[in-house]
Amino acid sequence: MLGMWSLLLLWGLVTPCQGLLETVGTLARIDQDELGKAIQNSLVGGPILQNVLGTVTSVNQGLLGSGGLLGGGGLLGYGGVFGVVEELSGLKVDEVTLPKVSVKLLPGFGVQLNLHTKVGLHGSGPLGGLLQLAAEVNVSSRVALGVSARGTPILILKRCSTLLGHISLLTGLLPAPLFGVVEQTLFKVLPELLCPVVDSVLGVVNELLGAVLGLVPLGAVGSVEFTLATLPLISNQYIELDVNPIVKSVAGDIIDFPKPRKPVKVPPKEDHTSQVTVPLFLFNTMFGLLQTSGALDLDITSELVPSNVPLTTTDLAALVPEALRKRPPGQQLLLSLRVKEAPTVTLQSHKATVSIPTTIHVLSYFPQGAHEALFQLNGVMTLNAQLAPSATKLHISLSLERLSVQLASSSAHTFDASRLEEWLSNVVRLAYVPKLNVSLDVGIPLPKVLNVNFANAALAIIENAVVLTVPS
């Protein structure tokens, strides 16, 4: 039977609410399986168990050898109780079996973490030959939740004790009296060796928890800083983190948009899955950042569109001749698109759309740089948004659904601007939308919670939010 290390994590005293996201933050619900995997990975990939072995060898020089706890003047050395067993020497801990990790969340209280392991020892027996022992160990620890100087959650070890289980003699001979002394010694030694393992595991978990918060760059336009909006909460299946994303421009100015009045109804999390809910507010703020930085503005000339897309006064005259008066044919056109108001994102059941209000200045121009204004349009671009998660981001790709325009001013006669919508839609689809998608390539960052990878997450668009669900 494997031993058990029982770790009680005092995480939170409130259970998550039933599906209502009361803030506009990014809501992360991390399944208990993910916590178990994070701890298991810390033991597999890191030096935690090897450090335990190094402690035994370098500090104690073996348990029973000269310089060891029981040898050379120790309990079993000359002057000790059993000086006749001088030959017993060099007993060392040489193996700690990779623990099997199981996690149970305790609603409104904390986390119970069980690590199952065995400790192997070897040395020289009193009658000669190799001596090998295996010991089962139970370690019980209590850990409190604190806050680091950075404002991140941090787990602090408060109490640790061990319970030694069955000791097996695998190889060699060991008289019964001496076996009892070895057993008593292990009772004293193992807590000093194994309680630091708990501290080391907590250190790894704290690093992963700390990674939730921090500054994530958004290309050349700004950054997102994640902070905790509330203390972590616990249900019987998941840990809930309400992460507040603060979007900043390159200059450090906070891009702040009105918060929605209505809370988002988050669907229940399925068993053995982790879930991240990205609120509508973050989408609108991201597009607001692009708008304020000028990333949504573009001057379109014939160099940016295929040759079969007309951009001359001749082609324009075929659509709205009254807009040109007696201007000569064949002049090149310049379309100057300016977005002076923040776009609006709409998230409804199974569909995401983006509405971009734009002003379109249409000018004739010459390669030498001279420009002549023809007319100005006020328009609204409605674009469909395709959403796709990667490991750490939610990516957005847009396609034009429709473009509606109205005449704002003209240097010639007024005209019905709707006759230009099909032509302008082709220009926008071929020249503007690709440039817009390049700006959106930075994606919306997702909080890094215990290294959960959302690349293969199932994506659901609900009212005013996007929910990503990944199996544990």
Side-chain angles (χ1 to χ4, degrees):
M1 181 182 73
L2 293 176
M4 177 183 298
W5 298 351
S6 179
L7 178 61
L8 191 59
L9 308 184
L10 306 178
W11 197 298
L13 298 178
V14 183
T15 303
C17 56
Q18 297 298 317
L20 283 181
L21 175 55
E22 298 292 351
T23 72
V24 296
T26 300
L27 192 71
R29 290 173 170 173
I30 306 304
D31 191 77
Q32 64 179 6
D33 294 345
E34 288 296 340
L35 180 59
K37 284 199 300 186
I39 294 172
Q40 186 77 62
N41 291 339
S42 73
L43 293 168
V44 172
I48 293 177
L49 298 180
Q50 290 299 319
N51 286 344
V52 172
L53 303 183
T55 300
V56 175
T57 302
S58 61
V59 175
N60 295 327
Q61 301 297 321
L63 295 177
L64 301 180
S66 59
L69 293 179
L70 302 186
L75 182 60
L76 297 185
Y78 285 108
V81 179
F82 297 105
V84 294
V85 292
E86 179 191 5
E87 296 87 353
L88 182 63
S89 62
L91 190 61
K92 298 180 181 180
V93 175
D94 64 351
E95 181 182 8
V96 178
T97 302
L98 180 65
K100 180 181 178 182
V101 177
S102 62
V103 173
K104 181 180 179 181
L105 301 182
L106 307 176
F109 185 68
V111 181
Q112 182 172 327
L113 168 66
N114 298 322
L115 306 179
H116 305 264
T117 192
K118 278 185 178 180
V119 175
L121 307 97
H122 82 281
S124 301
L127 304 178
L130 179 65
L131 183 67
Q132 288 184 311
L133 300 170
E136 300 171 4
V137 186
N138 301 329
V139 178
S140 178
S141 304
R142 285 187 177 271
V143 179
L145 177 64
V147 179
S148 72
R150 293 177 51 228
T152 61
I154 184 172
L155 300 171
I156 305 168
L157 182 61
K158 291 296 185 180
R159 189 171 71 222
C160 178
S161 61
T162 61
L163 177 63
L164 186 64
H166 180 67
I167 300 177
S168 302
L169 179 61
L170 304 179
T171 304
L173 297 174
L174 193 61
L178 185 57
F179 190 92
V181 174
V182 171
E183 186 176 45
Q184 292 176 17
T185 302
L186 291 179
F187 269 114
K188 297 178 181 179
V189 171
L190 289 179
E192 299 178 7
L193 301 180
L194 299 180
C195 285
V197 171
V198 178
D199 250 337
S200 298
V201 168
L202 292 180
V204 174
V205 175
N206 284 335
E207 287 183 11
L208 296 176
L209 289 174
V212 174
L213 309 184
L215 203 64
V216 181
L218 296 174
V221 296
S223 61
V224 175
E225 182 179 4
F226 289 112
T227 62
L228 271 185
T230 62
L231 288 176
L233 306 177
I234 288 184
S235 77
N236 61 349
Q237 286 295 325
Y238 58 86
I239 299 167
E240 182 174 290
L241 300 175
D242 190 356
V243 182
N244 183 32
I246 302 173
V247 180
K248 297 181 180 181
S249 67
V250 173
D253 299 324
I254 296 177
I255 309 300
D256 195 12
F257 280 74
K259 312 306 194 272
R261 298 178 180 178
K262 198 175 177 183
V264 176
K265 188 172 180 64
V266 180
K269 188 189 79 67
E270 299 178 1
D271 291 345
H272 307 296
T273 64
S274 292
Q275 183 187 81
V276 165
T277 300
V278 184
L280 174 63
F281 164 76
L282 186 53
F283 287 85
N284 282 327
T285 305
M286 290 288 294
F287 275 95
L289 176 63
L290 294 174
Q291 183 265 324
T292 56
S293 67
L296 302 182
D297 299 335
L298 182 65
D299 290 337
I300 302 175
T301 62
S302 57
E303 288 81 6
L304 297 180
V305 296
S307 58
N308 61 338
V309 177
L311 270 183
T312 66
T313 53
T314 302
D315 305 300
L316 188 60
L319 299 172
V320 284
E322 60 267 46
L324 298 179
R325 284 186 177 177
K326 297 180 180 180
R327 287 182 175 80
Q331 291 182 345
Q332 297 292 319
L333 293 177
L334 168 66
L335 274 60
S336 179
L337 275 70
R338 294 294 180 267
V339 179
K340 298 180 180 179
E341 298 178 15
T344 301
V345 181
T346 302
L347 298 175
Q348 294 177 330
S349 181
H350 310 299
K351 186 175 182 180
T353 58
V354 181
S355 178
I356 303 179
T358 182
T359 300
I360 305 175
H361 301 270
V362 180
L363 309 94
S364 63
Y365 84 102
F366 300 93
Q368 294 81 5
H371 297 78
E372 184 179 0
L374 301 179
F375 53 87
Q376 177 181 320
L377 304 172
N378 292 331
V380 176
M381 291 181 281
T382 302
L383 303 104
N384 292 320
Q386 293 77 44
L387 307 178
S390 65
T392 59
K393 294 182 179 180
L394 180 59
H395 296 276
I396 306 172
S397 178
L398 299 179
S399 60
L400 183 66
E401 180 179 309
R402 65 180 180 275
L403 169 65
S404 59
V405 294
Q406 292 181 337
L407 181 65
S409 63
S410 173
S411 62
H413 300 289
T414 61
F415 57 91
D416 180 9
S418 65
R419 285 180 282 167
L420 295 174
E421 289 180 351
E422 182 178 356
W423 169 66
L424 286 172
S425 294
N426 287 333
V427 174
V428 168
R429 188 174 289 111
L430 294 171
Y432 183 76
V433 174
K435 185 260 184 184
L436 183 57
N437 283 330
V438 170
S439 298
L440 291 171
D441 192 53
V442 293
I444 296 179
L446 301 173
K448 298 179 181 179
V449 185
L450 297 182
N451 285 336
V452 175
N453 187 330
F454 286 93
N456 298 317
L459 186 148
I461 301 174
I462 62 175
E463 186 176 359
N464 294 333
V466 172
V467 179
L468 301 175
T469 304
V470 61
S472 300

